[in-house]
Amino acid sequence: MMMSTDPAHYIEKILPYDMAFRAPGRINLIGEHTDYNGGCCLPAAILPSIYLGISPSSVTLVEALNPGIVTGLSEDHDWLRYIKGAIRHLTERFGSIPPFRMAFGGDLPIGAGLSSSTALCCATMSALNALFDLQITKDELTRLSVIAEQDSGVIGGMMDQISIFNGRKDRALMIHCDTWNFEYIPALLPDYRWLVIDTGVQHRLIDSDYNNRSFACQEIAGILKRNQVVHEFISELTHDDLPLIRNLLSDEQYILVRYVIEENQRVQNFINALRSGSVLDCGELLLASHEGLKNEYRVSCPELDSLVDFARHDARCAGARMMGGGFGGSTLHLVDHSDSVSYLNDIQNYYSLQTGRTARAFEASIGDGLTRIK
Ligand code: GLA
């Protein structure tokens, strides 16, 4: 069944339920693979979302509106894992959860690196919290969702969950991932738009090298702690510390650390550029971030690189980079508003000539975080 891109289609289907929720996807402006290293990142919630309705029931049934499946919890669908994870963690913490009937669907593309699985997990937790009056605070729900997602096999950070729960229209969140504190940063540049272009290469972090990077960084942090260079995280280091740690690490480990330090610095510089309205600086930082992810952290792929290569040589685009965990998924482009239609058209043609694939694309309007709509 074709996925409808009209939110009204899903809202109409969930409104008959007792309660209804919207959980957005997220983009990340800059600061990639820094969250699980205690660094900083700059994500924002977007309008494309998952919509979920829930009511009490005598037996638990879940309906995926797209592709139109009704199932109990014993079946084995990819998406059901996130719902079961949410239920398991709530049960462990609050005792058994009574049966319910739930339906969900949305205009948030799946596997595009926009955190659709996290949106589903956060929506499920929030819906069960409200339906059964579990009185869990937003901070606690955030932590539970992070643990639930890690249990599903991806040893990620908290960037996605914090932005989904706390997003705000036209604002990015500057997250300090060592403390989980965040501040809102205006994310609009006059005359420019954020465009997301999806490679169509399915990004399943669980099957990728994502966890290997996360484990490699844990190992490095262990070495640095034993040598009393950091208390907890790689991100405590600055560029000036690099000579100090050079001999403690292998070449490969050193390059990972250098990337993390530089990406953290890019987040700071990007915020300064946003505040001063310097599109040129923002664009250069996006391109530098992509280079680091491609050549140093090594989480890009030829399809992501092809989209960023187009952007690098096109005057309509200030800059672009791969976004999210990598190994597929989407790129983020900062494009002159008046040229965005022609830009999208040209880059989609270029991409299909280069790769034989079709790239989905849309404007990523920055919207509010998770909301109860009924
Ligand atoms: C995925 C993870 C996030 C983060 C990004 C990379 O989206 O879910 O926690 O690590 O990759 O920045």
Side-chain angles (χ1 to χ4, degrees), residues 33 37 212-217 220 234 249-262 296-299:
H33 288 270
N37 284 310
N212 291 337
R213 293 296 178 285
S214 180
F215 288 135
C217 288
I220 295 169
I234 292 177
L249 305 174
S250 69
D251 289 354
E252 207 172 311
Q253 289 173 324
Y254 178 75
I255 290 170
L256 292 183
V257 172
R258 197 179 57 196
Y259 162 80
V260 172
I261 292 174
E262 289 177 350
E296 295 172 357
Y297 215 73
R298 292 184 294 109
V299 290

Side-chain angles (χ1 to χ4, degrees), residues 26 28 31-36 113 115 118 149 154 156-161 203 205 210 324-326:
R26 65 102 190 91
N28 184 22
E32 217 65 88
H33 288 270
T34 47
D35 62 349
Y36 55 83
S115 283
T118 308
E149 186 117 2
V154 179
M158 73 304 288
M159 168 172 85
D160 308 344
Q161 293 80 358
H203 130 124
L205 292 183
Y210 181 95

Side-chain angles (χ1 to χ4, degrees), residues 26-341:
R26 65 102 190 91
I27 52 173
N28 184 22
L29 305 189
I30 198 160
E32 217 65 88
H33 288 270
T34 47
D35 62 349
Y36 55 83
N37 284 310
C40 39
C41 52
L42 196 61
I46 53 175
L47 291 186
S49 297
I50 294 224
Y51 297 87
L52 183 149
I54 193 165
S55 292
S57 169
S58 52
V59 349
T60 294
L61 281 178
V62 179
E63 179 176 5
L65 296 169
N66 214 312
I69 295 174
V70 181
T71 169
L73 293 179
S74 56
E75 302 260 326
D76 193 20
H77 301 287
D78 248 12
W79 44 267
L80 202 51
R81 267 211 324 248
Y82 299 100
I83 295 174
K84 287 196 258 193
I87 296 170
R88 191 170 57 251
H89 283 274
L90 291 179
T91 309
E92 275 168 16
R93 178 87 171 61
F94 299 94
S96 73
I97 301 285
F100 58 89
R101 186 171 173 122
M102 172 196 277
F104 76 92
D107 56 342
L108 180 60
I110 291 167
L114 300 170
S115 283
S116 54
S117 54
T118 308
L120 178 57
C121 181
C122 295
T124 304
M125 286 230 178
S126 302
L128 294 171
N129 183 32
L131 188 66
F132 300 120
D133 195 22
L134 302 177
Q135 308 268 336
I136 314 173
T137 63
K138 197 190 325 186
D139 282 354
E140 212 177 337
L141 276 179
T142 308
R143 285 187 188 274
L144 283 168
S145 313
V146 172
I147 300 169
E149 186 117 2
Q150 289 178 344
D151 267 15
S152 77
V154 179
I155 313 302
M158 73 304 288
M159 168 172 85
D160 308 344
Q161 293 80 358
I162 291 185
S163 40
I164 288 170
F165 275 114
N166 300 287
R168 194 178 279 178
K169 188 172 175 350
D170 298 339
R171 298 276 188 275
L173 291 87
M174 150 67 149
I175 306 177
H176 304 268
C177 301
D178 51 348
T179 57
W180 296 37
N181 290 334
F182 61 86
E183 49 201 293
Y184 290 105
I185 309 282
L188 291 186
L189 285 158
D191 304 330
Y192 275 77
R193 294 290 179 270
W194 293 109
L195 303 182
V196 168
I197 306 185
D198 175 8
T199 57
V201 177
Q202 281 274 324
H203 130 124
R204 273 179 48 101
L205 292 183
I206 199 164
D207 304 328
S208 75
D209 246 1
Y210 181 95
N211 282 346
N212 291 337
R213 293 296 178 285
S214 180
F215 288 135
C217 288
Q218 278 175 24
E219 198 184 330
I220 295 169
I223 297 173
L224 298 176
K225 274 200 264 186
R226 281 197 294 286
N227 285 277
Q228 297 177 348
V229 191
V230 301
H231 291 293
E232 183 78 31
F233 296 115
I234 292 177
S235 294
E236 292 161 36
L237 300 171
T238 69
H239 226 267
D240 293 346
D241 298 318
L242 281 173
L244 191 73
I245 60 158
R246 182 63 195 93
N247 293 329
L248 301 175
L249 305 174
S250 69
D251 289 354
E252 207 172 311
Q253 289 173 324
Y254 178 75
I255 290 170
L256 292 183
V257 172
R258 197 179 57 196
Y259 162 80
V260 172
I261 292 174
E262 289 177 350
E263 184 73 353
N264 277 323
Q265 187 58 50
R266 280 190 283 268
V267 177
Q268 298 295 340
N269 296 350
F270 196 89
I271 291 172
N272 294 339
L274 273 178
R275 287 194 167 127
S276 62
S278 173
V279 175
L280 208 69
D281 288 349
C282 286
E284 275 173 14
L285 288 162
L286 294 173
L287 290 168
S289 170
H290 185 79
E291 284 304 289
L293 288 158
K294 174 184 167 196
N295 300 321
E296 295 172 357
Y297 215 73
R298 292 184 294 109
V299 290
S300 189
C301 66
E303 291 82 359
L304 290 165
D305 295 340
S306 148
L307 291 170
V308 175
D309 280 346
F310 180 91
R312 195 191 312 281
H313 299 112
D314 194 293
R316 294 168 290 187
C317 179
R321 60 178 206 86
M322 59 148 275
M323 190 178 62
F327 311 103
S330 298
T331 49
L332 182 68
H333 301 239
L334 182 58
V335 176
D336 190 321
H337 169 50
S338 53
D339 293 326
S340 59
V341 174

